[in-house]
Coordinates of all heavy atoms in Angstrom, one line a residue:
L281 N 78.6 122.1 136.1 CA 79.6 122.1 137.2 C 81.0 122.2 136.7 O 81.9 122.9 137.2 CB 79.4 120.8 138.1 CG 80.4 120.6 139.2 CD1 80.3 121.8 140.2 CD2 80.1 119.3 139.9
R282 N 81.3 121.5 135.6 CA 82.7 121.5 135.0 C 83.0 122.9 134.5 O 84.1 123.5 134.8 CB 82.7 120.5 133.9 CG 84.0 120.7 133.1 CD 84.0 120.0 131.8 NE 85.1 120.2 130.9 CZ 85.2 121.0 129.9 NH1 84.0 121.6 129.5 NH2 86.3 121.2 129.2
A283 N 82.0 123.6 133.8 CA 82.2 124.9 133.3 C 82.5 125.9 134.5 O 83.3 126.8 134.4 CB 81.0 125.4 132.5
L284 N 81.7 125.8 135.6 CA 81.8 126.7 136.7 C 83.2 126.5 137.3 O 83.9 127.5 137.7 CB 80.8 126.4 137.7 CG 80.8 127.2 139.0 CD1 80.7 128.7 138.8 CD2 79.8 126.7 140.0
E285 N 83.7 125.3 137.4 CA 85.0 125.1 138.0 C 86.1 125.7 137.1 O 87.1 126.3 137.6 CB 85.3 123.6 138.2 CG 84.4 123.0 139.3 CD 84.5 121.4 139.3 OE1 85.0 120.9 138.3 OE2 84.0 120.8 140.3
C286 N 86.0 125.6 135.8 CA 86.9 126.2 134.9 C 87.0 127.7 135.0 O 88.0 128.3 135.1 CB 86.6 125.8 133.4 SG 86.9 124.1 133.0
I287 N 85.8 128.3 135.1 CA 85.7 129.7 135.2 C 86.3 130.2 136.6 O 87.0 131.2 136.7 CB 84.2 130.2 135.1 CG1 83.8 129.9 133.6 CG2 84.1 131.7 135.4 CD1 82.3 130.1 133.4
R288 N 86.0 129.5 137.6 CA 86.6 129.8 138.9 C 88.1 129.8 138.9 O 88.8 130.6 139.5 CB 86.1 128.8 140.0 CG 84.7 129.1 140.5 CD 84.2 127.9 141.3 NE 83.0 128.2 142.1 CZ 82.3 127.3 142.7 NH1 82.6 126.0 142.6 NH2 81.2 127.6 143.3
E289 N 88.7 128.9 138.1 CA 90.1 128.7 138.1 C 90.7 129.6 137.0 O 92.0 129.6 136.8 CB 90.5 127.3 137.8 CG 90.0 126.3 138.9 CD 90.1 124.9 138.5 OE1 90.6 124.6 137.4 OE2 89.7 124.0 139.3
G290 N 89.9 130.4 136.3 CA 90.4 131.3 135.3 C 90.8 130.6 134.0 O 91.5 131.2 133.2
R291 N 90.3 129.4 133.8 CA 90.6 128.6 132.6 C 89.5 128.8 131.6 O 88.3 129.0 132.0 CB 90.8 127.2 132.9 CG 92.0 126.9 133.8 CD 92.3 125.4 133.9 NE 91.3 124.8 134.8 CZ 90.4 123.8 134.4 NH1 90.4 123.4 133.1 NH2 89.5 123.3 135.2
S292 N 89.8 128.7 130.3 CA 88.7 128.7 129.3 C 88.0 127.3 129.4 O 88.6 126.3 129.8 CB 89.3 128.8 127.9 OG 90.2 127.8 127.6
V293 N 86.7 127.3 129.0 CA 85.9 126.1 129.0 C 86.0 125.4 127.7 O 85.4 125.8 126.7 CB 84.5 126.5 129.4 CG1 83.6 125.2 129.5 CG2 84.3 127.3 130.6
A294 N 87.0 124.5 127.6 CA 87.2 123.8 126.3 C 86.0 123.0 126.0 O 85.4 122.3 126.8 CB 88.4 122.9 126.4
R295 N 85.6 123.0 124.7 CA 84.4 122.3 124.2 C 84.8 121.6 122.8 O 85.2 122.4 121.9 CB 83.2 123.1 124.0 CG 82.7 123.7 125.4 CD 82.0 122.6 126.2 NE 80.6 122.4 125.8 CZ 80.2 121.3 125.3 NH1 80.9 120.3 125.0 NH2 78.9 121.3 124.9
G296 N 84.7 120.3 122.8 CA 85.1 119.6 121.6 C 83.9 119.1 120.8 O 82.8 118.9 121.4
T297 N 84.0 118.9 119.5 CA 82.9 118.4 118.7 C 83.5 117.6 117.5 O 84.5 117.9 117.0 CB 82.0 119.5 118.2 OG1 81.0 119.0 117.4 CG2 82.8 120.5 117.4
I298 N 82.7 116.6 117.1 CA 82.9 116.0 115.8 C 81.7 116.2 114.9 O 81.6 115.5 113.8 CB 83.2 114.5 116.0 CG1 82.0 113.8 116.7 CG2 84.5 114.2 116.7 CD1 82.1 112.3 116.7
Q299 N 80.9 117.2 115.2 CA 79.8 117.7 114.4 C 78.8 116.5 114.1 O 78.4 116.3 113.0 CB 80.3 118.4 113.1 CG 81.0 119.6 113.4 CD 81.4 120.4 112.2 OE1 80.8 120.3 111.2 NE2 82.5 121.2 112.3
T300 N 78.5 115.8 115.1 CA 77.6 114.6 115.0 C 76.6 114.7 116.2 O 77.0 114.9 117.3 CB 78.3 113.3 115.1 OG1 79.3 113.2 114.0 CG2 77.3 112.1 115.0
Q301 N 75.3 114.6 115.9 CA 74.3 114.5 116.9 C 74.0 113.1 117.2 O 73.7 112.3 116.3 CB 73.0 115.3 116.5 CG 71.9 115.2 117.5 CD 70.6 115.8 117.1 OE1 70.6 116.5 116.1 NE2 69.6 115.7 117.9
W302 N 74.0 112.7 118.5 CA 73.7 111.4 118.9 C 72.4 111.4 119.7 O 72.0 112.4 120.3 CB 74.8 110.9 119.9 CG 76.2 110.9 119.3 CD1 77.1 111.9 119.3 CD2 76.8 109.8 118.5 NE1 78.2 111.6 118.7 CE2 78.1 110.3 118.2 CE3 76.4 108.5 118.2 CZ2 79.0 109.5 117.4 CZ3 77.3 107.8 117.4 CH2 78.6 108.3 117.1
M303 N 71.7 110.3 119.6 CA 70.4 110.1 120.3 C 70.5 108.8 121.1 O 71.2 107.8 120.7 CB 69.3 110.0 119.4 CG 69.1 111.3 118.5 SD 68.3 112.6 119.4 CE 66.6 112.1 119.4
I304 N 69.8 108.8 122.3 CA 69.7 107.6 123.1 C 68.6 106.7 122.4 O 67.5 107.1 122.3 CB 69.3 107.9 124.5 CG1 70.3 108.8 125.2 CG2 69.2 106.6 125.3 CD1 69.9 109.4 126.5
K305 N 69.0 105.5 122.1 CA 68.0 104.6 121.5 C 68.0 103.3 122.4 O 69.0 102.8 122.8 CB 68.5 104.2 120.1 CG 68.6 105.3 119.1 CD 67.3 105.8 118.6 CE 67.5 106.9 117.5 NZ 66.2 107.4 117.0
P306 N 66.8 102.7 122.6 CA 66.7 101.5 123.4 C 67.4 100.3 122.7 O 67.6 100.3 121.5 CB 65.2 101.3 123.6 CG 64.6 102.1 122.5 CD 65.5 103.2 122.1
F307 N 67.7 99.3 123.5 CA 68.4 98.2 122.9 C 67.7 97.5 121.8 O 68.3 97.1 120.8 CB 68.7 97.2 124.0 CG 69.9 97.5 124.9 CD1 69.8 97.7 126.2 CD2 71.2 97.6 124.3 CE1 70.9 98.0 127.0 CE2 72.3 97.9 125.0 CZ 72.2 98.1 126.4
D308 N 66.3 97.4 121.9 CA 65.6 96.8 120.8 C 65.8 97.5 119.5 O 65.9 96.9 118.4 CB 64.1 96.6 121.2 CG 63.5 98.0 121.5 OD1 64.1 98.8 122.1 OD2 62.3 98.2 121.1
E309 N 65.8 98.8 119.5 CA 66.0 99.6 118.3 C 67.4 99.5 117.8 O 67.7 99.4 116.6 CB 65.6 101.1 118.5 CG 65.6 101.9 117.2 CD 65.0 103.2 117.3 OE1 64.3 103.5 118.4 OE2 65.1 104.0 116.4
C310 N 68.4 99.5 118.8 CA 69.8 99.3 118.4 C 70.0 97.9 117.7 O 70.8 97.9 116.7 CB 70.7 99.4 119.6 SG 70.7 101.1 120.3
R311 N 69.3 96.9 118.2 CA 69.4 95.6 117.5 C 69.0 95.7 116.0 O 69.6 95.1 115.1 CB 68.7 94.6 118.3 CG 69.3 94.1 119.5 CD 68.7 92.8 120.1 NE 67.3 93.1 120.5 CZ 66.9 93.4 121.7 NH1 67.8 93.7 122.6 NH2 65.6 93.6 122.0
R312 N 67.9 96.4 115.8 CA 67.4 96.5 114.4 C 68.4 97.3 113.6 O 68.4 97.2 112.3 CB 66.0 97.2 114.4 CG 64.9 96.4 115.1 CD 63.6 96.9 114.8 NE 63.3 98.2 115.4 CZ 62.8 98.4 116.6 NH1 62.5 97.4 117.3 NH2 62.6 99.7 117.0
L313 N 69.2 98.2 114.2 CA 70.2 99.0 113.5 C 71.5 98.2 113.2 O 72.3 98.7 112.5 CB 70.4 100.3 114.2 CG 69.3 101.3 114.2 CD1 69.6 102.4 115.2 CD2 69.0 101.9 112.9
G314 N 71.6 97.1 113.8 CA 72.8 96.3 113.6 C 73.6 96.0 114.8 O 74.8 95.5 114.6
L315 N 73.2 96.3 116.0 CA 74.0 95.9 117.2 C 74.0 94.4 117.3 O 73.0 93.7 117.3 CB 73.3 96.5 118.4 CG 74.0 96.2 119.8 CD1 75.4 96.8 119.9 CD2 73.1 96.7 120.9
T316 N 75.2 93.8 117.4 CA 75.3 92.4 117.5 C 75.0 91.9 118.9 O 75.2 92.6 119.9 CB 76.8 92.0 117.1 OG1 77.7 92.5 118.0 CG2 77.1 92.5 115.7
P317 N 74.6 90.6 119.0 CA 74.3 90.1 120.3 C 75.6 90.1 121.2 O 75.5 90.3 122.4 CB 73.9 88.6 120.0 CG 73.4 88.7 118.6 CD 74.2 89.7 117.9
E318 N 76.7 89.9 120.6 CA 78.0 89.9 121.4 C 78.2 91.3 122.0 O 78.6 91.4 123.2 CB 79.2 89.5 120.6 CG 79.1 88.0 120.1 CD 78.2 87.9 118.9 OE1 77.8 88.9 118.3 OE2 77.9 86.7 118.5

Side-chain angles (χ1 to χ4, degrees):
L281 178 58
R282 171 193 174 255
L284 178 61
E285 290 171 347
C286 290
I287 293 170
R288 281 170 169 167
E289 297 169 5
R291 296 185 288 116
S292 61
V293 183
R295 296 286 279 113
T297 179
I298 56 172
Q299 297 185 26
T300 301
Q301 178 182 353
W302 304 89
M303 300 282 283
I304 304 171
K305 303 282 187 179
F307 279 120
D308 57 321
E309 188 168 349
C310 292
R311 285 193 295 271
R312 294 194 293 272
L313 291 169
L315 177 66
T316 64
E318 295 79 12

